[in-house]
Amino acid sequence: MAKRLIETNLSTEDEKIEPGLRPRFLKDYVGQEKIKANLKVYIEASRKRGEPLDHALFYGPPGLGKTTLAGIIANELGVHMKVTSGPAIEKPGELAAVLNGLEEGDVLFIDEIHRLSRQVEEVLYPAMEDFEIDIVIGKNGENTKSVRLDLPHFTLIGATTRSGLLSAPLRARFGLIEHMEYYTPEELKRIITASAKKLSVEIKEDGAMELAKRSRGTPRLANRLLKRVRDFAEIRYDGVITKEVADTSLELMQVDSDGLDEMDRAYLSMIIQNFGGGPAGLETLAASLGEDSGTLEDVCEPYLLKNGYINRTPRGRVATEKAWEHMGLDFKDSGDYN
């Protein structure tokens, strides 16, 4: 397989935040150790056989590095990567145009792949399995005909925060399926320290750890908070990020000691104050908060669930004793945890 420089047209939120902070190769990627170990084997085998890597699916909460891993795979294989997203491909013809523009061995990354329409998925199936698609030429009538188009062998990498919304036929066509886990504070500290070096920011060890503990296990958020704390350090302090600087800056940004932000606290307050601790349905909570239910489910709830602030029950969300204590309130057990 010929070596080529990676060429991307990234338009995801990940890339907009800080493209220069992304690791480009597996050796520089921090965290997700099991996935890295597996990918190292798969990539080496792919290079040895001179074949494209199997189609891969990465799923998990947002901000954990799914797009970054796709770019790393392309770099490790020495191929181009083209990027799009499920909402951006509305018609089968649009997908056909993207596929037809690929070269042998290319990586096609589709973010939010669970949002592909069923019609677009139907075009994707033969492309993934047989590397060919059928294109309908002409309008309805006698001149309409179907033309089969051969595609170069490529690797599709899909990313989703909601794997349960993927159709079974689409999921079954991925040879590699990996779940992205939240990062530990120690891993985030390493990421923050490396990012600070790239940004030419001096950061003390305790400052990096303070940022790491409040970053919700998410590298994207860690880098975002680092950049904002850098602003406070440069304007209000001597430019060095210490624990005290990080703590004061994050408090001003309304990120508390457990990493909960204004939306998280509003969510917990709504369940506790308006619904007596729950249960409260997701749609009801979304309407009361003026937020999209998908945003609450994808962005807010995973961290609150993982850290024991809420429970999901058949009747709705329930605030745990930990949530009541965090909000400075006396716990009142609703008794609905089933």
Side-chain angles (χ1 to χ4, degrees), residues 275-309:
F275 298 96
L282 177 61
E283 295 296 335
T284 302
L285 285 170
S288 300
L289 291 167
E291 292 285 350
D292 177 70
S293 60
T295 300
L296 293 181
E297 193 168 22
D298 293 343
V299 178
C300 205
E301 290 190 340
Y303 185 75
L304 296 178
L305 280 165
K306 179 180 181 296
N307 289 277
Y309 290 100

Side-chain angles (χ1 to χ4, degrees), residues 189-205:
K189 179 186 171 185
R190 290 171 56 195
I191 292 173
I192 290 167
T193 302
S195 295
K197 186 176 181 180
K198 292 178 182 178
L199 293 170
S200 300
V201 179
E202 185 178 350
I203 186 168
K204 300 298 184 182
E205 188 172 336

Side-chain angles (χ1 to χ4, degrees), residues 11 40 55 167 173 242 268 309 325:
S11 59
K40 185 176 181 180
H55 304 305
S167 68
R173 284 168 169 80
T242 63
L268 294 178
Y309 290 100
E325 291 176 353

Side-chain angles (χ1 to χ4, degrees), residues 20 54 89 91 119 149 256 265-266 294 316:
D54 269 355
I89 305 175
K91 301 176 182 178
Q119 292 80 7
L149 179 66
D256 66 28
R265 291 190 295 274

Side-chain angles (χ1 to χ4, degrees), residues 24-284:
R24 298 185 68 244
F25 296 96
L26 278 176
K27 64 181 177 62
D28 302 316
Y29 189 94
V30 176
Q32 310 296 338
E33 296 300 328
K34 292 181 180 179
I35 296 178
K36 279 200 307 185
N38 289 341
L39 282 178
K40 185 176 181 180
V41 173
Y42 303 148
I43 290 170
E44 187 175 343
S46 173
R47 284 197 298 238
K48 185 176 181 180
R49 291 193 298 264
E51 300 175 354
L53 189 72
D54 269 355
H55 304 305
L57 175 69
F58 297 125
Y59 69 98
L64 298 186
K66 296 182 282 294
T67 305
T68 299
L69 273 181
I72 285 174
I73 289 172
N75 280 323
E76 294 280 1
L77 293 174
V79 300
H80 297 136
M81 180 171 79
K82 295 191 176 181
V83 178
T84 186
S85 67
I89 305 175
E90 298 179 351
K91 301 176 182 178
E94 294 171 347
L95 176 62
V98 172
L99 294 171
N100 194 39
L102 298 175
E103 298 179 34
E104 188 72 21
D106 276 357
V107 168
L108 173 61
F109 178 71
I110 302 181
D111 198 12
E112 298 184 84
I113 195 170
H114 64 275
R115 295 180 63 180
L116 288 174
S117 69
R118 185 54 55 88
Q119 292 80 7
V120 172
E121 273 193 30
E122 293 292 338
V123 174
L124 196 55
Y125 296 158
M128 293 176 70
E129 288 188 313
D130 304 316
F131 301 103
E132 60 185 24
I133 54 174
D134 292 322
I135 300 177
V136 178
I137 299 177
K139 298 181 179 179
N140 293 334
E142 296 180 359
N143 295 327
T144 301
K145 61 179 180 179
S146 178
V147 177
R148 178 151 294 183
L149 179 66
D150 291 329
L151 300 172
H153 289 198
F154 68 96
T155 296
L156 172 65
I157 300 180
T160 177
T161 57
R162 308 181 73 179
S163 61
L165 297 184
L166 280 178
S167 68
L170 179 58
R171 186 185 180 95
R173 284 168 169 80
F174 287 100
L176 314 175
I177 299 178
E178 300 286 357
H179 178 230
M180 306 285 286
E181 300 283 354
Y182 281 110
Y183 287 63
T184 66
E186 290 72 23
E187 290 170 338
L188 288 176
K189 179 186 171 185
R190 290 171 56 195
I191 292 173
I192 290 167
T193 302
S195 295
K197 186 176 181 180
K198 292 178 182 178
L199 293 170
S200 300
V201 179
E202 185 178 350
I203 186 168
K204 300 298 184 182
E205 188 172 336
D206 58 357
M209 179 54 75
E210 187 65 24
L211 275 169
K213 290 191 297 185
R214 300 199 194 191
S215 295
R216 303 168 67 95
T218 308
R220 180 194 296 169
L221 181 57
N223 282 328
R224 183 185 298 159
L225 294 180
L226 170 63
K227 291 177 68 182
R228 299 289 69 80
V229 172
R230 173 188 61 173
D231 294 339
F232 282 98
E234 290 178 354
I235 302 302
R236 295 193 174 183
Y237 300 95
D238 60 359
V240 180
I241 299 177
T242 63
K243 181 180 186 301
E244 291 72 25
V245 170
D247 179 65
T248 303
S249 303
L250 291 170
E251 288 296 334
L252 289 170
M253 294 161 60
Q254 299 187 40
V255 178
D256 66 28
S257 58
D258 286 354
L260 272 61
D261 59 21
E262 191 174 7
M263 180 188 292
D264 298 319
R265 291 190 295 274
Y267 177 96
L268 294 178
S269 179
M270 183 64 66
I271 296 178
I272 294 171
Q273 303 281 21
N274 291 43
F275 298 96
L282 177 61
E283 295 296 335
T284 302

